Amino acid sequence: TVCPKPLWEHTLAIVNTAQEVRGSWTTQLAALLSNVGKPFCYQRMYVCSGCSKVLYTSHNESPSIECSVCHHRVTEDIKFVCSGKVYKGLMQTNCEISSKILNRLGFSNDDKKFILTLVSGYEFYNSVEDWDEARVRRFVHKKGTLWKPMINLMKAVKASQAIEHSDLTKILDLRAKIDRITDLKDLIDGKTPIDGNEVSIITGVEPGPKLGEIMKSIRSAVVDGLVKTKEEAIKFIKGSS
C-alpha cells in the first residue's frame, strides 16, 4: 500500500473518488473504512546490510533491532538500510475493526457483508495485469455481484494516490477482460450447462457423494472457462472418467 499523504487526507480522497466513480453509499462507506486498520498494522521494513534478512518494527518502535542471523544492530551508524513502510495484515485488520464499527452502528447483515467483502479484499490490483482468463473468471465467480463495487473501490484507492502511483491501466484492463466474458450471469450464479440428472444418466453414477464430486469438477471447469456448452461438458465428463 502506498500512502503518500497524511492518512486522513488520503482516506477522504478515496471517499471523494468513490463518489466520482458513482459508487453506492455502501461502496463509499467501504472507502471510508479502507484505511481504518493502517494505524494498527503500520511497520517499517529494514533489510540487514550484512545478510539481507528482512526485519520489521512497529510504527512507534525505535529501530534498535538486532539481526538474528549476523547480530548487526541499528544504531547511529545505521547498519540496516530502511527500505520502506508496510502494512502487514492490513486487509484482515480492516475487516476486524470495520466489523466492530458496523455492529455497533446496527447495520444489516447484508450491508455488513457487502462492506466487509470490499474492505478485506481490494488490495490485489497490483497483480491483475498477470491474470489470465481463468483467473479473471475465478475473481468474478468468487465476488459474485460484488465484482463491480470491488473494482470501483480499487479505482478509488488507486486514483487517490500520488500521481506516480495512480495509474488505473491495470484496473481498467481487468474491467475490459470482465466485459468480454459472454456467460457473466451464469458465472456469477454458478450455473453449469448440464445438470446432475443428465450427468447421472451419462456416467451411470447414482445421486450421492460421487456424483457431487463430478458436478464439482464440472463447475470448476466452467469457472475456469474450460467448459461453456453442454457438448463441452459431456466431452469433459467422458474425458475425466
Side-chain angles (χ1 to χ4, degrees), residues 3 7 35 39 55 59 86 98 101 103 112 115 117 130 162 182 207 233:
C3 187
L7 186 56
N35 281 328
L55 303 171
H59 68 286
V86 294
S98 297
I101 293 173
N103 284 334
K112 284 191 293 185
I115 295 167
T117 298
D130 300 321
T182 57

Side-chain angles (χ1 to χ4, degrees), residues 117-136:
T117 298
L118 265 58
V119 301
S120 64
Y122 69 83
E123 202 187 42
F124 53 80
Y125 47 73
N126 285 321
S127 64
V128 297
E129 64 180 345
D130 300 321
W131 289 8
D132 58 11
E133 180 188 2
R135 182 65 183 87
V136 173

Side-chain angles (χ1 to χ4, degrees), residues 11 15 21 29 32 35 38 59 61 71-72 74 113 116 118 120 129 131 159 173 197 216 218 236:
T11 300
V15 175
V21 298
L29 182 53
L32 180 63
N35 281 328
K38 282 188 174 181
H59 68 286
E61 181 181 350
H71 304 294
H72 279 176
V74 176
K113 180 180 178 181
L116 294 177
L118 265 58
S120 64
E129 64 180 345
W131 289 8
D173 285 347
N197 291 330
K216 183 178 178 180
I218 295 172
F236 177 82

Side-chain angles (χ1 to χ4, degrees), residues 98-169:
S98 297
S99 180
K100 293 178 181 177
I101 293 173
L102 298 174
N103 284 334
R104 188 166 64 245
L105 295 176
F107 281 82
S108 70
N109 289 333
D110 287 343
D111 287 339
K112 284 191 293 185
K113 180 180 178 181
F114 181 102
I115 295 167
L116 294 177
T117 298
L118 265 58
V119 301
S120 64
Y122 69 83
E123 202 187 42
F124 53 80
Y125 47 73
N126 285 321
S127 64
V128 297
E129 64 180 345
D130 300 321
W131 289 8
D132 58 11
E133 180 188 2
R135 182 65 183 87
V136 173
R137 289 176 64 88
R138 287 195 292 271
F139 164 75
V140 173
H141 177 69
K142 181 178 180 180
K143 299 303 178 184
T145 56
L146 296 185
W147 72 264
K148 190 176 293 185
M150 179 69 76
I151 286 183
N152 284 340
L153 181 58
M154 291 162 61
K155 288 168 64 177
V157 172
K158 196 69 174 171
S160 65
Q161 294 175 351
I163 294 177
E164 63 269 25
H165 300 295
S166 61
D167 185 7
L168 297 177
T169 301

Side-chain angles (χ1 to χ4, degrees), residues 3-16:
C3 187
K5 306 174 184 178
L7 186 56
W8 178 239
E9 292 181 16
H10 179 59
T11 300
L12 290 181
I14 296 174
V15 175
N16 290 334

Side-chain angles (χ1 to χ4, degrees), residues 52-76:
S52 300
K53 180 179 175 62
V54 177
L55 303 171
Y56 298 94
T57 63
S58 64
H59 68 286
N60 57 358
E61 181 181 350
S62 169
S64 180
I65 52 179
E66 180 178 297
C67 177
S68 60
V69 177
C70 63
H71 304 294
H72 279 176
R73 293 186 62 83
V74 176
T75 56
E76 291 183 358

